[in-house]
Amino acid sequence: MFVIGYNDPMAEAPATIAAGVRRRTQEQRSAATQAKLLDATVACLAELGYARTSTTMVCERAGVSRGAQLHHFPTKAALVAAAAERVLELRVEEFRATLGGLDEGQERVQTAIDLLWGIFCGPSAYAWQELLVAARTDDELRPHLARVQNRLRDEVAAAWHDLFPSGLQGLDSTLNAAVPKLLFAVLDGLSMHRLTGLPTAETDAHEVLAVVKMLSVYFDAVNPLEEL
Amino acid sequence: MFVIGYNDPMAEAPATIAAGVRRRTQEQRSAATQAKLLDATVACLAELGYARTSTTMVCERAGVSRGAQLHHFPTKAALVAAAAERVLELRVEEFRATLGGLDEGQERVQTAIDLLWGIFCGPSAYAWQELLVAARTDDELRPHLARVQNRLRDEVAAAWHDLFPSGLQGLDSTLNAAVPKLLFAVLDGLSMHRLTGLPTAETDAHEVLAVVKMLSVYFDAVNPLEEL
DNA sequence: CGCAAAACATGCAGGGTTGACTGTTTGTTT
DNA sequence: AAACAAACAGTCAACCCTGCATGTTTTGCG
């Protein structure tokens, strides 16, 4: 697995190809091209959409030959499935990076919502939408994406719980469990409305998010909401 | 325009093709095949998704020749654009039919939400999602769909206002204006989460909708929510 | 050093989609 | 009735995409 003696840093050719790495491990080469392919796929999904995303285009963007792509991902379905996991990584990374760096101020909820909204307007969100909609009618992709979605769901819940361990003060544990789900549903919905590029959708989104923020503050500070 | 003498009801062949209408007007013929094409397109979008929707398939389903399709809709983009308007009609029709037949009971809000959720799990919602996501990366479709979306937005607001003319009692007019927007964002978001067919998405949706119902009842009956 | 295997590159065939083209039927107008 | 226009039908070439098949390079290991 870990062979030494061959990888001699001093033995690199002076500048044959930049100051790059000559003589990489098979594992390194595989990982590198696979990463390039997956990133290119995600980029294509985000920029061109699922329909216009072809393996040819992906290879072009990745700077990889079609043969190499076909070697690592025998079929387009395999490529897309792997790309879905990459999108999951990206989104989780974004969520954690965004929610992790929040100071303890009183307006944590508001800023958290604003930052999350930023994520839902970004490339990873677009790619996820494309995959989600495509999965509905693709019997091969759907089960795979279902597992990925479940993981995303759990990660979101965990990240939210890390941020607000005790939840909103006015709500019991059952209701508090629904809070992140509600929030993310709203964000996903508003994100959909934004896709046509309408200014009204943008203003509506801010309006709705303002209400959500008010509700959060309200139930965190003021009244307990009794069961009905 | 209206020529008589040629349309002789008695001259119909005994039973050449059912007891149908022989000798239709040009306008009637056009409208009929266009309707067949648009309905077939919407059905394809809902069942196969945008990517797998081909004009060939649409013609097959509609029982129309490719030549006829190309005559009425010179390009695929034109067909899809027209289909978008058809989806708008369908959705508005559904909204009005659903919300219109609500009795004056105290649980109007809850039942309204449940009925709306049913619509968001139906074919017209799927077709709309497909169009929305496709429009993001289709420079020709996007502006067209933007106009349609604006109309849908206004229709939704109007339908909601018809249903609850005075809004929720505890909220001022500004907040009440945001209520339907928030609700429809939630529904759209939950609808997206459902696409992978996960049971958890289904239960989450009901959980979230239960919270939304509680909030509606709460703010309709109990406390006024002050501005912050 | 030499061979096996993995990684990579390129060309090719099959299938499918789109839009144009030509010809036919149906209705409208005079 | 005849001329004209619209609606309709079927065929065709160009294009793109996918997956396979063959050939080349790089790495691992004796």
Side-chain angles (χ1 to χ4, degrees):
Chain A
M1 206 56 164
F2 299 108
V3 178
I4 30 178
Y6 247 67
N7 289 359
D8 184 0
M10 311 303 285
E12 289 185 16
T16 42
I17 294 184
V21 276
R22 293 189 65 79
R23 242 186 143 60
R24 293 175 298 170
T25 294
Q26 296 273 56
E27 221 172 341
Q28 287 174 324
R29 295 210 303 166
S30 282
T33 61
Q34 286 184 15
K36 278 196 290 185
L37 282 170
L38 293 182
D39 286 338
T41 305
V42 175
C44 278
L45 287 175
E47 288 178 33
L48 309 175
Y50 186 87
R52 295 181 207 269
T53 293
S54 69
T55 58
T56 310
M57 181 67 69
V58 169
C59 291
E60 239 174 70
R61 293 217 176 189
V64 166
S65 72
R66 280 189 47 70
Q69 174 260 313
L70 210 58
H71 174 71
H72 291 287
F73 305 99
T75 147
K76 184 182 180 181
L79 178 66
V80 173
E85 306 222 10
R86 183 87 187 91
V87 175
L88 169 68
E89 290 174 22
L90 288 173
R91 297 205 82 187
V92 169
E93 214 171 296
E94 284 177 335
F95 287 148
R96 293 213 170 277
T98 299
L99 297 183
L102 276 181
D103 47 348
E104 289 286 336
Q106 293 182 346
E107 300 187 344
R108 264 200 315 173
V109 194
Q110 287 98 318
T111 52
I113 290 176
D114 281 331
L115 293 175
L116 284 174
W117 176 236
I119 296 181
F120 276 79
C121 297
S124 65
Y126 293 146
W128 184 249
Q129 283 173 344
E130 296 283 344
L131 289 172
L132 220 45
V133 171
R136 180 179 68 89
T137 54
D138 189 324
D139 293 337
E140 197 176 350
L141 178 59
R142 191 170 347 104
H144 198 92
L145 205 65
R147 286 191 288 275
V148 177
Q149 193 188 19
N150 247 344
R151 277 200 276 160
L152 181 63
R153 184 190 107 110
D154 294 342
E155 290 281 353
V156 162
W160 188 259
H161 187 263
D162 285 352
L163 191 62
F164 302 103
S166 52
L168 301 182
Q169 300 305 323
L171 306 179
D172 61 25
S173 64
T174 308
L175 288 177
N176 260 313
V179 167
K181 298 174 186 175
L182 174 57
L183 174 59
F184 277 75
V186 173
L187 290 171
D188 272 314
L190 294 177
S191 178
M192 288 292 289
H193 296 173
R194 234 179 60 91
L195 294 183
T196 50
L198 278 176
T200 56
E202 211 78 38
T203 58
D204 280 359
H206 286 294
E207 188 181 338
V208 168
L209 289 180
V211 172
V212 173
K213 291 179 205 169
M214 284 176 59
L215 289 176
S216 305
V217 173
Y218 181 74
F219 284 112
D220 194 26
V222 190
N223 300 34
L225 175 58
E226 69 277 13
E227 296 278 350
L228 296 182
Chain B
M1 206 57 165
F2 300 108
V3 178
I4 27 179
Y6 247 64
N7 290 359
D8 186 359
M10 312 303 285
E12 287 184 20
T16 41
I17 293 182
V21 276
R22 294 188 65 79
R23 263 203 119 55
R24 293 175 299 170
T25 293
Q26 296 273 54
E27 221 171 342
Q28 288 173 324
R29 294 208 304 166
S30 282
T33 62
Q34 285 185 16
K36 278 196 290 184
L37 282 169
L38 294 183
D39 285 338
T41 306
V42 175
C44 277
L45 287 175
E47 289 178 32
L48 309 175
Y50 187 87
R52 295 181 206 269
T53 293
S54 69
T55 58
T56 309
M57 181 68 69
V58 169
C59 291
E60 238 174 71
R61 293 217 176 189
V64 167
S65 72
R66 278 190 50 69
Q69 175 261 313
L70 212 58
H71 174 71
H72 291 287
F73 305 100
T75 145
K76 183 182 181 180
L79 178 65
V80 173
E85 306 221 10
R86 184 84 187 95
V87 174
L88 169 69
E89 290 173 21
L90 288 174
R91 297 206 82 188
V92 169
E93 214 171 297
E94 284 178 333
F95 288 148
R96 293 211 169 278
T98 300
L99 296 183
L102 275 181
D103 48 348
E104 288 287 336
Q106 293 181 347
E107 300 186 344
R108 264 198 316 172
V109 194
Q110 287 98 318
T111 51
I113 291 177
D114 281 331
L115 292 175
L116 285 174
W117 176 236
I119 296 181
F120 276 80
C121 296
S124 66
Y126 293 146
W128 183 249
Q129 283 173 342
E130 296 283 343
L131 290 172
L132 220 46
V133 171
R136 179 178 69 87
T137 54
D138 189 323
D139 294 337
E140 198 176 350
L141 179 59
R142 192 171 345 106
H144 198 91
L145 205 63
R147 286 191 290 274
V148 176
Q149 193 188 20
N150 247 343
R151 276 201 276 159
L152 181 62
R153 184 190 107 110
D154 294 342
E155 289 282 352
V156 162
W160 187 260
H161 188 262
D162 284 352
L163 190 61
F164 302 103
S166 53
L168 301 182
Q169 300 304 323
L171 306 179
D172 61 25
S173 63
T174 308
L175 288 176
N176 260 315
V179 168
K181 298 174 186 173
L182 174 56
L183 175 59
F184 277 76
V186 173
L187 290 171
D188 271 314
L190 293 177
S191 178
M192 288 293 289
H193 296 174
R194 236 180 60 91
L195 294 183
T196 50
L198 277 177
T200 56
E202 212 77 37
T203 59
D204 280 0
H206 285 293
E207 189 180 338
V208 168
L209 289 181
V211 172
V212 173
K213 291 179 206 169
M214 285 176 59
L215 290 176
S216 305
V217 174
Y218 181 75
F219 284 112
D220 194 26
V222 190
N223 300 36
L225 174 59
E226 69 277 11
E227 296 279 350
L228 296 181

